[in-house]
Amino acid sequence: QVQVVESGGGLVQAGGSLRLSCAASGSIFRILAMGWYRQAPGKERELVAAYTSGGETNYADSVKGRFTIARDNAKNTVYLQMNSLKPEDTAVYSCNVQAYHAGIMDSYWGQGTQVTVSS
C-alpha cells in the first residue's frame, strides 16, 4: 500500500516561515509527479507548488517568490519552504503523489497538515 505523510504545519505570525515535508512510502515503482495543494476555508483546493512528470516546477502565482519546492528522490520526499507567510496562506496543505503502483498510475493524497498564519 502507498502511504503519503505530511508534517511541518503549525501556527505562525505573518512574515514567518514554515517548512513542510511530504514522504511517500510503500510499494511505489516510480513517482511521476509530486506536489503540494491547499484548501482554505470557503475556497476550492488549489495547487501551490509541484514537480511535474517532466521534472518542471509549477507554482501558484500567489506564492511565487515566497515558497520554494524541493525534493529528495532517494527518500521519495518533497519539501515546501514557505517564507513571508501571509494570513491568506492559512489552509490545510496536502501532498499529492502520482505514482505507479502494481502496474497502474494513480494519485495518492496525504491527510494534510494545517498551516495557520495570524495577523
Side-chain angles (χ1 to χ4, degrees), residues 6-61:
E6 306 102 330
S7 62
L11 193 157
V12 297
Q13 289 191 315
S17 299
L18 285 173
R19 184 172 183 256
L20 307 183
S21 298
C22 170
S25 62
S27 301
I28 301 173
F29 180 76
R30 182 186 179 188
I31 294 177
L32 278 73
M34 203 168 184
W36 290 95
Y37 294 74
R38 70 184 181 187
Q39 186 167 20
K43 297 183 67 177
E44 299 295 324
R45 185 173 63 194
E46 64 175 346
L47 184 146
V48 179
Y51 282 100
T52 69
S53 59
E56 304 173 17
T57 56
N58 290 331
Y59 291 93
D61 288 340

Short mmCIF file of all heavy atoms in Angstrom, two decimals, residues 6-61:
data_model
loop_
_atom_site.label_atom_id
_atom_site.label_comp_id
_atom_site.label_asym_id
_atom_site.label_seq_id
_atom_site.Cartn_x
_atom_site.Cartn_y
_atom_site.Cartn_z
N GLU A 6 2.42 13.92 5.55
CA GLU A 6 2.90 15.29 5.62
C GLU A 6 3.24 15.66 7.06
O GLU A 6 2.69 15.10 8.01
CB GLU A 6 1.85 16.29 5.11
CG GLU A 6 1.32 15.98 3.72
CD GLU A 6 -0.04 15.34 3.76
OE1 GLU A 6 -0.35 14.63 4.74
OE2 GLU A 6 -0.81 15.54 2.80
N SER A 7 4.11 16.63 7.20
CA SER A 7 4.45 17.15 8.51
C SER A 7 4.98 18.57 8.35
O SER A 7 5.32 18.99 7.25
CB SER A 7 5.49 16.27 9.21
OG SER A 7 6.71 16.24 8.48
N GLY A 8 5.03 19.29 9.46
CA GLY A 8 5.64 20.60 9.46
C GLY A 8 4.69 21.77 9.58
O GLY A 8 5.13 22.92 9.68
N GLY A 9 3.39 21.51 9.57
CA GLY A 9 2.44 22.59 9.71
C GLY A 9 2.45 23.16 11.11
O GLY A 9 3.04 22.61 12.04
N GLY A 10 1.78 24.28 11.27
CA GLY A 10 1.72 24.92 12.56
C GLY A 10 1.10 26.29 12.48
O GLY A 10 0.53 26.68 11.46
N LEU A 11 1.21 27.01 13.57
CA LEU A 11 0.68 28.36 13.68
C LEU A 11 1.84 29.34 13.75
O LEU A 11 2.72 29.21 14.61
CB LEU A 11 -0.21 28.49 14.93
CG LEU A 11 -1.09 29.73 15.05
CD1 LEU A 11 -2.26 29.45 15.97
CD2 LEU A 11 -0.29 30.91 15.58
N VAL A 12 1.84 30.30 12.85
CA VAL A 12 2.89 31.31 12.82
C VAL A 12 2.27 32.67 12.58
O VAL A 12 1.14 32.79 12.11
CB VAL A 12 3.95 31.04 11.72
CG1 VAL A 12 4.67 29.73 11.99
CG2 VAL A 12 3.29 31.02 10.35
N GLN A 13 3.02 33.70 12.90
CA GLN A 13 2.58 35.06 12.62
C GLN A 13 2.96 35.45 11.20
O GLN A 13 3.86 34.88 10.60
CB GLN A 13 3.19 36.04 13.62
CG GLN A 13 2.61 35.93 15.02
CD GLN A 13 3.05 37.08 15.90
OE1 GLN A 13 4.22 37.45 15.92
NE2 GLN A 13 2.10 37.66 16.63
N ALA A 14 2.25 36.42 10.68
CA ALA A 14 2.55 36.92 9.35
C ALA A 14 4.02 37.31 9.25
O ALA A 14 4.58 37.93 10.15
CB ALA A 14 1.66 38.11 9.02
N GLY A 15 4.63 36.94 8.14
CA GLY A 15 6.05 37.19 7.94
C GLY A 15 6.94 36.04 8.35
O GLY A 15 8.13 36.04 8.02
N GLY A 16 6.38 35.07 9.03
CA GLY A 16 7.15 33.94 9.49
C GLY A 16 7.34 32.89 8.41
O GLY A 16 6.91 33.06 7.26
N SER A 17 7.97 31.79 8.80
CA SER A 17 8.30 30.73 7.86
C SER A 17 7.93 29.37 8.42
O SER A 17 7.92 29.16 9.63
CB SER A 17 9.80 30.74 7.53
OG SER A 17 10.19 31.96 6.91
N LEU A 18 7.64 28.46 7.52
CA LEU A 18 7.42 27.07 7.85
C LEU A 18 8.01 26.21 6.75
O LEU A 18 8.09 26.64 5.60
CB LEU A 18 5.93 26.74 7.99
CG LEU A 18 5.21 27.21 9.25
CD1 LEU A 18 3.71 26.94 9.11
CD2 LEU A 18 5.75 26.51 10.49
N ARG A 19 8.39 25.01 7.10
CA ARG A 19 8.89 24.06 6.12
C ARG A 19 8.08 22.78 6.23
O ARG A 19 8.12 22.10 7.27
CB ARG A 19 10.38 23.77 6.35
CG ARG A 19 11.02 22.85 5.30
CD ARG A 19 12.52 22.79 5.52
NE ARG A 19 13.22 22.00 4.52
CZ ARG A 19 13.68 20.77 4.73
NH1 ARG A 19 13.53 20.19 5.91
NH2 ARG A 19 14.32 20.13 3.76
N LEU A 20 7.37 22.46 5.18
CA LEU A 20 6.55 21.26 5.15
C LEU A 20 7.32 20.12 4.49
O LEU A 20 8.11 20.34 3.57
CB LEU A 20 5.26 21.50 4.37
CG LEU A 20 4.39 22.69 4.80
CD1 LEU A 20 3.12 22.73 3.97
CD2 LEU A 20 4.07 22.62 6.29
N SER A 21 7.07 18.92 4.97
CA SER A 21 7.68 17.74 4.40
C SER A 21 6.60 16.75 4.00
O SER A 21 5.57 16.64 4.67
CB SER A 21 8.63 17.07 5.40
OG SER A 21 9.69 17.93 5.75
N CYS A 22 6.84 16.04 2.94
CA CYS A 22 5.94 15.01 2.47
C CYS A 22 6.76 13.80 2.06
O CYS A 22 7.61 13.90 1.18
CB CYS A 22 5.11 15.51 1.29
SG CYS A 22 4.16 14.23 0.44
N ALA A 23 6.49 12.69 2.69
CA ALA A 23 7.21 11.46 2.40
C ALA A 23 6.26 10.40 1.88
O ALA A 23 5.23 10.13 2.50
CB ALA A 23 7.93 10.96 3.65
N ALA A 24 6.60 9.83 0.76
CA ALA A 24 5.83 8.74 0.18
C ALA A 24 6.56 7.43 0.43
O ALA A 24 7.78 7.34 0.29
CB ALA A 24 5.63 8.95 -1.32
N SER A 25 5.80 6.42 0.79
CA SER A 25 6.39 5.12 1.06
C SER A 25 5.44 4.02 0.62
O SER A 25 4.28 4.27 0.31
CB SER A 25 6.72 4.97 2.55
OG SER A 25 5.55 5.06 3.34
N GLY A 26 5.95 2.81 0.61
CA GLY A 26 5.16 1.67 0.20
C GLY A 26 5.65 1.09 -1.11
O GLY A 26 6.78 1.32 -1.52
N SER A 27 4.77 0.37 -1.75
CA SER A 27 5.11 -0.33 -2.98
C SER A 27 5.00 0.61 -4.18
O SER A 27 4.12 0.46 -5.04
CB SER A 27 4.22 -1.56 -3.15
OG SER A 27 4.36 -2.45 -2.07
N ILE A 28 5.90 1.56 -4.24
CA ILE A 28 5.93 2.53 -5.33
C ILE A 28 7.03 2.14 -6.30
O ILE A 28 8.20 2.06 -5.92
CB ILE A 28 6.17 3.95 -4.81
CG1 ILE A 28 5.07 4.35 -3.84
CG2 ILE A 28 6.23 4.93 -5.98
CD1 ILE A 28 5.30 5.67 -3.16
N PHE A 29 6.65 1.91 -7.54
CA PHE A 29 7.64 1.59 -8.55
C PHE A 29 8.32 2.84 -9.07
O PHE A 29 9.54 2.88 -9.22
CB PHE A 29 7.00 0.82 -9.71
CG PHE A 29 7.97 0.46 -10.79
CD1 PHE A 29 8.87 -0.57 -10.60
CD2 PHE A 29 7.99 1.16 -11.98
CE1 PHE A 29 9.77 -0.92 -11.59
CE2 PHE A 29 8.89 0.83 -12.98
CZ PHE A 29 9.78 -0.22 -12.78
N ARG A 30 7.53 3.86 -9.34
CA ARG A 30 8.08 5.11 -9.86
C ARG A 30 7.12 6.25 -9.56
O ARG A 30 5.92 6.12 -9.77
CB ARG A 30 8.32 5.01 -11.36
CG ARG A 30 8.92 6.26 -11.97
CD ARG A 30 8.99 6.16 -13.48
NE ARG A 30 9.53 7.37 -14.07
CZ ARG A 30 9.58 7.62 -15.36
NH1 ARG A 30 9.08 6.72 -16.22
NH2 ARG A 30 10.10 8.75 -15.81
N ILE A 31 7.67 7.34 -9.07
CA ILE A 31 6.89 8.55 -8.85
C ILE A 31 7.00 9.43 -10.07
O ILE A 31 8.10 9.76 -10.52
CB ILE A 31 7.37 9.30 -7.59
CG1 ILE A 31 7.09 8.47 -6.34
CG2 ILE A 31 6.69 10.66 -7.50
CD1 ILE A 31 7.61 9.11 -5.06
N LEU A 32 5.86 9.81 -10.62
CA LEU A 32 5.84 10.65 -11.79
C LEU A 32 5.77 12.13 -11.44
O LEU A 32 6.41 12.97 -12.09
CB LEU A 32 4.66 10.29 -12.71
CG LEU A 32 4.85 9.10 -13.64
CD1 LEU A 32 4.82 7.79 -12.86
CD2 LEU A 32 3.79 9.12 -14.72
N ALA A 33 4.98 12.45 -10.43
CA ALA A 33 4.82 13.84 -10.04
C ALA A 33 4.54 13.89 -8.55
O ALA A 33 3.98 12.96 -7.97
CB ALA A 33 3.70 14.52 -10.82
N MET A 34 4.90 15.01 -7.95
CA MET A 34 4.74 15.16 -6.52
C MET A 34 4.60 16.65 -6.22
O MET A 34 5.37 17.45 -6.75
CB MET A 34 5.94 14.58 -5.79
CG MET A 34 5.71 14.18 -4.36
SD MET A 34 7.13 13.19 -3.76
CE MET A 34 6.55 12.75 -2.14
N GLY A 35 3.63 16.99 -5.41
CA GLY A 35 3.46 18.40 -5.13
C GLY A 35 2.53 18.70 -3.97
O GLY A 35 2.00 17.79 -3.33
N TRP A 36 2.36 19.98 -3.74
CA TRP A 36 1.57 20.47 -2.63
C TRP A 36 0.33 21.20 -3.12
O TRP A 36 0.39 22.00 -4.07
CB TRP A 36 2.40 21.42 -1.76
CG TRP A 36 3.47 20.74 -0.98
CD1 TRP A 36 4.77 20.59 -1.32
CD2 TRP A 36 3.31 20.12 0.29
NE1 TRP A 36 5.45 19.90 -0.34
CE2 TRP A 36 4.57 19.60 0.66
CE3 TRP A 36 2.23 19.93 1.16
CZ2 TRP A 36 4.78 18.92 1.86
CZ3 TRP A 36 2.43 19.26 2.35
CH2 TRP A 36 3.70 18.76 2.68
N TYR A 37 -0.77 20.95 -2.46
CA TYR A 37 -2.02 21.63 -2.69
C TYR A 37 -2.52 22.18 -1.37
O TYR A 37 -2.07 21.77 -0.30
CB TYR A 37 -3.06 20.67 -3.29
CG TYR A 37 -2.70 20.17 -4.67
CD1 TYR A 37 -1.70 19.23 -4.85
CD2 TYR A 37 -3.37 20.65 -5.79
CE1 TYR A 37 -1.36 18.77 -6.12
CE2 TYR A 37 -3.04 20.20 -7.06
CZ TYR A 37 -2.04 19.26 -7.21
OH TYR A 37 -1.72 18.81 -8.47
N ARG A 38 -3.44 23.11 -1.44
CA ARG A 38 -4.02 23.65 -0.22
C ARG A 38 -5.48 23.98 -0.42
O ARG A 38 -5.93 24.23 -1.54
CB ARG A 38 -3.26 24.90 0.25
CG ARG A 38 -3.43 26.13 -0.63
CD ARG A 38 -2.57 27.27 -0.14
NE ARG A 38 -2.72 28.47 -0.94
CZ ARG A 38 -1.98 29.56 -0.81
NH1 ARG A 38 -1.02 29.61 0.13
NH2 ARG A 38 -2.19 30.62 -1.58
N GLN A 39 -6.20 23.95 0.67
CA GLN A 39 -7.61 24.31 0.66
C GLN A 39 -7.89 25.19 1.86
O GLN A 39 -7.76 24.75 3.01
CB GLN A 39 -8.50 23.08 0.67
CG GLN A 39 -9.98 23.40 0.50
CD GLN A 39 -10.81 22.17 0.19
OE1 GLN A 39 -10.40 21.04 0.44
NE2 GLN A 39 -11.98 22.39 -0.37
N ALA A 40 -8.26 26.42 1.59
CA ALA A 40 -8.59 27.37 2.63
C ALA A 40 -10.09 27.33 2.90
O ALA A 40 -10.87 26.89 2.05
CB ALA A 40 -8.16 28.77 2.22
N PRO A 41 -10.51 27.78 4.07
CA PRO A 41 -11.94 27.80 4.37
C PRO A 41 -12.74 28.56 3.32
O PRO A 41 -12.40 29.69 2.97
CB PRO A 41 -12.00 28.50 5.73
CG PRO A 41 -10.67 28.22 6.35
CD PRO A 41 -9.70 28.25 5.21
N GLY A 42 -13.78 27.94 2.81
CA GLY A 42 -14.63 28.57 1.83
C GLY A 42 -14.07 28.62 0.43
O GLY A 42 -14.69 29.23 -0.45
N LYS A 43 -12.95 27.99 0.20
CA LYS A 43 -12.33 28.01 -1.12
C LYS A 43 -12.09 26.60 -1.62
O LYS A 43 -12.05 25.64 -0.85
CB LYS A 43 -11.01 28.78 -1.09
CG LYS A 43 -11.13 30.24 -0.73
CD LYS A 43 -9.79 30.95 -0.79
CE LYS A 43 -9.26 31.02 -2.21
NZ LYS A 43 -7.98 31.77 -2.27
N GLU A 44 -11.91 26.49 -2.92
CA GLU A 44 -11.60 25.21 -3.53
C GLU A 44 -10.13 24.89 -3.35
O GLU A 44 -9.29 25.78 -3.15
CB GLU A 44 -11.97 25.21 -5.01
CG GLU A 44 -13.44 25.45 -5.30
CD GLU A 44 -14.32 24.34 -4.78
OE1 GLU A 44 -13.88 23.16 -4.84
OE2 GLU A 44 -15.43 24.62 -4.32
N ARG A 45 -9.81 23.62 -3.44
CA ARG A 45 -8.42 23.20 -3.36
C ARG A 45 -7.66 23.72 -4.57
O ARG A 45 -8.15 23.67 -5.70
CB ARG A 45 -8.35 21.68 -3.28
CG ARG A 45 -6.94 21.14 -3.07
CD ARG A 45 -6.97 19.64 -2.83
NE ARG A 45 -7.50 18.93 -3.98
CZ ARG A 45 -7.89 17.66 -3.94
NH1 ARG A 45 -7.83 16.98 -2.80
NH2 ARG A 45 -8.36 17.09 -5.04
N GLU A 46 -6.46 24.19 -4.34
CA GLU A 46 -5.64 24.72 -5.40
C GLU A 46 -4.22 24.20 -5.32
O GLU A 46 -3.73 23.85 -4.25
CB GLU A 46 -5.62 26.26 -5.35
CG GLU A 46 -4.96 26.82 -4.10
CD GLU A 46 -4.83 28.33 -4.12
OE1 GLU A 46 -5.01 28.94 -5.19
OE2 GLU A 46 -4.54 28.92 -3.05
N LEU A 47 -3.57 24.17 -6.46
CA LEU A 47 -2.17 23.79 -6.50
C LEU A 47 -1.32 24.91 -5.94
O LEU A 47 -1.52 26.08 -6.28
CB LEU A 47 -1.74 23.45 -7.92
CG LEU A 47 -0.31 22.95 -8.11
CD1 LEU A 47 -0.25 21.93 -9.23
CD2 LEU A 47 0.64 24.10 -8.42
N VAL A 48 -0.37 24.55 -5.10
CA VAL A 48 0.56 25.52 -4.53
C VAL A 48 1.90 25.44 -5.26
O VAL A 48 2.41 26.43 -5.77
CB VAL A 48 0.77 25.29 -3.02
CG1 VAL A 48 1.78 26.29 -2.46
CG2 VAL A 48 -0.56 25.40 -2.28
N ALA A 49 2.47 24.26 -5.28
CA ALA A 49 3.75 24.04 -5.95
C ALA A 49 3.89 22.55 -6.21
O ALA A 49 3.48 21.73 -5.40
CB ALA A 49 4.92 24.54 -5.10
N ALA A 50 4.47 22.21 -7.34
CA ALA A 50 4.59 20.81 -7.69
C ALA A 50 5.71 20.56 -8.68
O ALA A 50 6.10 21.46 -9.44
CB ALA A 50 3.28 20.29 -8.27
N TYR A 51 6.22 19.35 -8.64
CA TYR A 51 7.08 18.84 -9.68
C TYR A 51 6.20 18.05 -10.65
O TYR A 51 5.44 17.17 -10.24
CB TYR A 51 8.16 17.92 -9.12
CG TYR A 51 9.32 18.64 -8.49
CD1 TYR A 51 9.40 18.78 -7.12
CD2 TYR A 51 10.34 19.16 -9.28
CE1 TYR A 51 10.46 19.44 -6.53
CE2 TYR A 51 11.41 19.82 -8.69
CZ TYR A 51 11.46 19.96 -7.33
OH TYR A 51 12.53 20.61 -6.75
N THR A 52 6.33 18.36 -11.92
CA THR A 52 5.57 17.65 -12.93
C THR A 52 6.30 16.38 -13.32
O THR A 52 7.42 16.12 -12.89
CB THR A 52 5.36 18.52 -14.17
OG1 THR A 52 6.62 18.70 -14.85
CG2 THR A 52 4.81 19.88 -13.79
N SER A 53 5.64 15.59 -14.15
CA SER A 53 6.25 14.35 -14.62
C SER A 53 7.49 14.61 -15.47
O SER A 53 8.34 13.73 -15.60
CB SER A 53 5.24 13.53 -15.43
OG SER A 53 4.76 14.27 -16.55
N GLY A 54 7.60 15.81 -16.03
CA GLY A 54 8.76 16.18 -16.80
C GLY A 54 9.87 16.82 -16.00
O GLY A 54 10.87 17.25 -16.58
N GLY A 55 9.70 16.89 -14.69
CA GLY A 55 10.72 17.46 -13.83
C GLY A 55 10.63 18.97 -13.68
O GLY A 55 11.50 19.57 -13.04
N GLU A 56 9.62 19.57 -14.25
CA GLU A 56 9.44 21.01 -14.11
C GLU A 56 8.77 21.35 -12.79
O GLU A 56 8.10 20.52 -12.19
CB GLU A 56 8.59 21.55 -15.27
CG GLU A 56 9.14 21.24 -16.65
CD GLU A 56 8.19 21.65 -17.75
OE1 GLU A 56 7.28 22.45 -17.49
OE2 GLU A 56 8.37 21.19 -18.89
N THR A 57 8.94 22.57 -12.37
CA THR A 57 8.26 23.05 -11.18
C THR A 57 7.17 24.04 -11.57
O THR A 57 7.36 24.87 -12.46
CB THR A 57 9.22 23.72 -10.19
OG1 THR A 57 9.93 24.78 -10.86
CG2 THR A 57 10.23 22.72 -9.67
N ASN A 58 6.05 23.91 -10.91
CA ASN A 58 4.94 24.84 -11.10
C ASN A 58 4.58 25.47 -9.76
O ASN A 58 4.54 24.78 -8.74
CB ASN A 58 3.71 24.11 -11.66
CG ASN A 58 3.90 23.68 -13.10
OD1 ASN A 58 4.63 24.31 -13.86
ND2 ASN A 58 3.22 22.60 -13.49
N TYR A 59 4.33 26.77 -9.79
CA TYR A 59 3.94 27.49 -8.60
C TYR A 59 2.67 28.29 -8.87
O TYR A 59 2.48 28.83 -9.96
CB TYR A 59 5.02 28.48 -8.16
CG TYR A 59 6.28 27.85 -7.63
CD1 TYR A 59 7.36 27.61 -8.47
CD2 TYR A 59 6.41 27.53 -6.28
CE1 TYR A 59 8.52 27.04 -7.98
CE2 TYR A 59 7.57 26.97 -5.79
CZ TYR A 59 8.63 26.73 -6.64
OH TYR A 59 9.79 26.17 -6.16
N ALA A 60 1.84 28.37 -7.86
CA ALA A 60 0.73 29.29 -7.93
C ALA A 60 1.27 30.72 -7.94
O ALA A 60 2.27 31.01 -7.28
CB ALA A 60 -0.21 29.10 -6.75
N ASP A 61 0.62 31.59 -8.69
CA ASP A 61 1.08 32.96 -8.77
C ASP A 61 1.15 33.62 -7.40
O ASP A 61 2.03 34.45 -7.13
CB ASP A 61 0.17 33.78 -9.69
CG ASP A 61 0.34 33.42 -11.15
OD1 ASP A 61 1.38 32.84 -11.51
OD2 ASP A 61 -0.58 33.72 -11.94
#
